Amino acid sequence: GNSVTQMEGPVTLSEEAFLTINCTYTATGYPSLFWYVQYPGEGLQLLLKATKADDKGSNKGFEATYRKETTSFHLEKGSVQVSDSAVYFCALSEHSGGGADGLTFGKGTHLIIQP
Amino acid sequence: SAVISQKPSRDICQRGTSLTIQCQVDSQVTMMFWYRQQPGQSLTLIATANQGSEATYESGFVIDKFPISRPNLTFSTLTVSNMSPEDSSIYLCSARAGDTQYFGPGTRLTVL
């Protein structure tokens, strides 16, 4: 079956530091890949996505590149802010002949940015 | 995109009772899903809500415990039946628009 593995936190960084949150996946086909973010007290929001190999998703200064050869989708940001403190979830969706398929999520990485 | 609302936003229930959660999407969507997020955990797919037919449940989830309705393309309900404290979780509704799933704000359920 499908699975997503991401680094577990909490990850604590200082403001303006470089961020990498690792994510690797296992899938039988060619999934779409996503990063979702959950800010304190809020619901789950889509941060970025990539639907095929070598695609780069980007949003709010965050980037992730779909690497089929390493089955990875690592999240990066060049300079984090206190407002980036949240839980980040890596997820995949595998489409199979038009049938329904939900998302498979990683366990989430709690990111804490200190001023 | 899709904007999703859920109600109630939270509830505290007694053991043995049932709670029905409603999910409304602002546009017609083909696929709707229900997830559970247990305290401190990731999201787990409960089932796919199929319009006009029975829901498709993931391993470990059964219709008797989590009956789901999907009467049209914008609305679905999830019932948590015969609740126990282990059912205390956040329940999230999701809808797919294109190749992206959007999530509702969740229903925080506490079972005493």
Side-chain angles (χ1 to χ4, degrees):
Chain A
N2 298 337
S3 67
V4 175
T5 302
Q6 62 182 106
M7 58 192 296
E8 298 197 21
V11 174
T12 303
L13 296 173
S14 297
E15 204 164 23
E16 299 183 3
F18 185 88
L19 168 71
T20 300
I21 301 178
N22 289 336
C23 172
T24 57
Y25 67 90
T26 302
T28 54
Y30 301 95
S32 296
L33 301 174
F34 305 85
W35 277 100
Y36 283 86
V37 59
Q38 190 170 37
Y39 296 103
E42 297 186 17
L44 206 64
Q45 301 175 25
L46 177 66
L47 180 60
L48 54 83
K49 67 179 181 182
T51 57
K52 61 183 188 296
D54 300 324
D55 270 2
K56 177 185 286 187
S58 61
N59 186 26
K60 299 182 180 180
F62 290 89
E63 293 184 339
T65 301
Y66 189 143
R67 302 285 188 201
K68 185 168 180 288
E69 64 275 14
T70 55
T71 61
S72 65
F73 193 54
H74 304 321
L75 182 68
E76 296 182 335
K77 185 174 185 180
S79 176
V80 292
Q81 306 300 312
V82 172
S83 57
D84 294 326
S85 298
V87 180
Y88 293 81
F89 293 94
C90 185
L92 71 81
S93 173
E94 190 158 27
H95 308 291
S96 49
D101 59 289
L103 287 165
T104 300
F105 282 88
K107 292 187 175 182
T109 301
H110 186 193
L111 176 65
I112 300 169
I113 306 300
Q114 296 178 333
Chain B
S1 67
V3 178
I4 302 169
S5 59
Q6 285 183 236
K7 55 181 183 181
S9 59
R10 59 177 63 226
D11 207 341
I12 300 173
C13 300
Q14 296 297 318
R15 181 196 299 260
T17 63
S18 299
L19 176 71
T20 295
I21 303 167
Q22 298 180 7
C23 176
Q24 181 74 51
V25 188
D26 70 339
S27 58
Q28 293 187 343
V29 292
T30 52
M31 309 310 306
M32 292 182 72
F33 307 88
W34 286 97
Y35 290 81
R36 180 174 73 182
Q37 186 178 20
Q38 293 178 299
Q41 302 295 314
S42 187
L43 285 81
T44 301
L45 179 65
I46 296 172
T48 302
N50 301 309
Q51 196 266 328
S53 64
E54 199 168 277
T56 304
Y57 290 84
E58 297 299 303
S59 175
F61 298 96
V62 295
I63 188 171
D64 289 347
K65 176 67 176 177
F66 297 102
I68 288 170
S69 78
R70 176 95 191 268
N72 57 51
L73 293 176
T74 64
F75 185 79
S76 177
T77 67
L78 169 75
T79 299
V80 186
S81 303
N82 188 24
M83 288 183 284
S84 67
E86 293 71 34
D87 295 320
S88 297
S89 289
I90 298 173
Y91 292 84
L92 297 106
C93 175
S94 169
R96 186 156 82 200
D99 58 7
T100 300
Q101 284 192 27
Y102 298 89
F103 285 83
T107 296
R108 183 179 295 272
L109 171 62
T110 303
V111 183
L112 303 178

